[in-house]
Amino acid sequence: ISLSALNSIPVRFGINILVKSAEDSTHYINFTSGSNDLRRPVHHTIQVENLGAREIPVSVTIRVPVKLVNTDIWSNTLGLKVPGCTVKTEDPTETDVLKKLKETQILNCSVAMCSVLSCSISVLKNRVPVIYNLTGEVSSAWLQQTQLESVRLVSSASLGFDTKQYIHRFTKSKTLINTEVQTHVEVIKVYDYKKEIIGGAAGGLLLLALITLGLYKAGFFKRGYKELLKEAKTEGQNATPGEESALPVHE
């Protein structure tokens, strides 16, 4: 084998890097149905680690849904900016975004306009994690157009490196260099008992009126009145003279 042939064989170094959702990310929030001006604090925390011995430069791309159709998902996006990262926006890849959202109940960059953060780590050191904190307040205004009671708000992150110089040690590296941060957003319906209370009271009064009408038509009240007169007459006839004289006499 010639020396020139040996020089043409590429040599790549094995690496072991990963990106994941940190435990302090917000996993669940809820809103009350019918309220479009509510806000809930949400944190999406992304952690990048180097579990190998070799220190390497790494690029990180983070995508965060920020607008559904024409309605903002976050009440402010200042907390979605990371120092040292460039920011741009991307339109959703789906055309009928609301239809797709109702099918999947997943609010990600395929159905929403996204903020894309491009970050660079010049040297990712061994066992020294790099943290990206995305924080803000999620608004309830965008939920009305979805007509859904449950949606998953999903941000994503992916790692990039020089594939000509490095190769990931694990064959399933795609699951290690790509991750998602999910927040379950639930709409809670508050049951209004006023209609049932008013309806029950009205129904009770109507039933009482029908029962009273039925008794009246059956002569119940007439018989009762006649019986009272008969009892009064009988008591008057059976009264003793002494009892009659006990009544007051007016001059």
Side-chain angles (χ1 to χ4, degrees), residues 158-247:
S158 59
L159 301 182
F161 55 88
D162 187 352
T163 56
K164 294 181 179 180
Q165 189 174 358
Y166 304 102
I167 183 172
H168 206 285
R169 291 180 179 177
F170 296 96
T171 55
K172 295 182 179 179
S173 61
K174 286 186 177 181
T175 59
L176 298 175
I177 62 175
N178 295 280
T179 193
E180 291 182 343
V181 186
Q182 297 191 13
T183 299
H184 180 199
V185 183
E186 185 177 16
V187 179
I188 298 177
K189 288 187 176 181
V190 178
Y191 201 75
D192 188 2
Y193 291 96
K194 291 181 180 178
K195 293 181 179 180
E196 282 70 14
I197 294 172
I198 295 173
L205 292 173
L206 179 60
L207 180 61
L208 180 61
L210 292 174
I211 293 173
T212 304
L213 180 61
L215 292 174
Y216 178 79
K217 288 185 176 181
F220 175 81
F221 297 107
K222 292 181 179 179
R223 289 199 301 269
Y225 181 69
K226 289 179 180 180
E227 290 175 358
L228 288 174
L229 290 177
K230 186 176 180 181
E231 289 179 1
K233 185 177 181 180
T234 304
E235 289 178 359
Q237 292 175 350
N238 295 335
T240 60
E243 292 175 339
E244 292 179 353
S245 61
L247 296 173

Side-chain angles (χ1 to χ4, degrees), residues 69-89:
V69 188
N70 295 318
T71 308
D72 291 331
I73 298 170
W74 303 76
S75 59
N76 62 74
T77 58
L78 293 177
L80 303 181
K81 297 180 180 179
V82 178
C85 301
T86 61
V87 183
K88 67 177 183 178
T89 57

Side-chain angles (χ1 to χ4, degrees), residues 61-150:
T61 304
I62 303 171
R63 288 179 168 84
V64 186
V66 293
K67 182 175 289 189
L68 180 63
V69 188
N70 295 318
T71 308
D72 291 331
I73 298 170
W74 303 76
S75 59
N76 62 74
T77 58
L78 293 177
L80 303 181
K81 297 180 180 179
V82 178
C85 301
T86 61
V87 183
K88 67 177 183 178
T89 57
E90 284 185 356
D91 292 329
T93 56
E94 294 287 339
T95 52
D96 194 342
V97 295
L98 293 179
K99 180 182 178 181
K100 185 65 177 180
L101 180 58
K102 289 178 181 179
E103 291 175 354
T104 62
Q105 297 185 8
I106 296 176
L107 181 59
N108 57 18
C109 292
S110 68
V111 296
M113 178 183 288
C114 274
S115 178
V116 182
L117 289 77
S118 299
C119 314
S120 296
I121 304 174
S122 57
V123 178
L124 183 59
K125 297 181 179 181
N126 173 254
R127 306 291 177 176
V128 181
V130 178
I131 307 296
Y132 296 94
N133 289 312
L134 307 172
T135 182
E137 291 184 333
V138 171
S139 169
S140 62
W142 57 273
L143 282 165
Q144 185 175 3
Q145 59 187 315
T146 69
Q147 298 180 347
L148 294 172
E149 296 181 3
S150 178

Side-chain angles (χ1 to χ4, degrees), residues 8-103:
S8 65
I9 299 175
V11 177
R12 294 190 294 178
F13 300 100
I15 59 172
N16 183 11
I17 60 175
L18 64 86
V19 59
K20 64 181 182 179
S21 170
E23 293 181 358
D24 61 347
S25 295
T26 304
H27 300 291
Y28 174 83
I29 59 172
N30 64 64
F31 295 103
T32 304
S33 62
S35 301
N36 297 327
D37 57 349
L38 301 178
R39 300 176 181 179
R40 296 289 183 269
V42 172
H43 307 280
H44 281 189
T45 306
I46 295 165
Q47 184 171 321
V48 180
E49 291 186 59
N50 184 357
L51 303 180
R54 188 176 297 277
E55 299 178 349
I56 64 168
V58 174
S59 64
V60 185
T61 304
I62 303 171
R63 288 179 168 84
V64 186
V66 293
K67 182 175 289 189
L68 180 63
V69 188
N70 295 318
T71 308
D72 291 331
I73 298 170
W74 303 76
S75 59
N76 62 74
T77 58
L78 293 177
L80 303 181
K81 297 180 180 179
V82 178
C85 301
T86 61
V87 183
K88 67 177 183 178
T89 57
E90 284 185 356
D91 292 329
T93 56
E94 294 287 339
T95 52
D96 194 342
V97 295
L98 293 179
K99 180 182 178 181
K100 185 65 177 180
L101 180 58
K102 289 178 181 179
E103 291 175 354

Side-chain angles (χ1 to χ4, degrees), residues 148-160:
L148 294 172
E149 296 181 3
S150 178
V151 179
R152 294 194 179 275
L153 176 62
V154 179
S155 298
S156 64
S158 59
L159 301 182

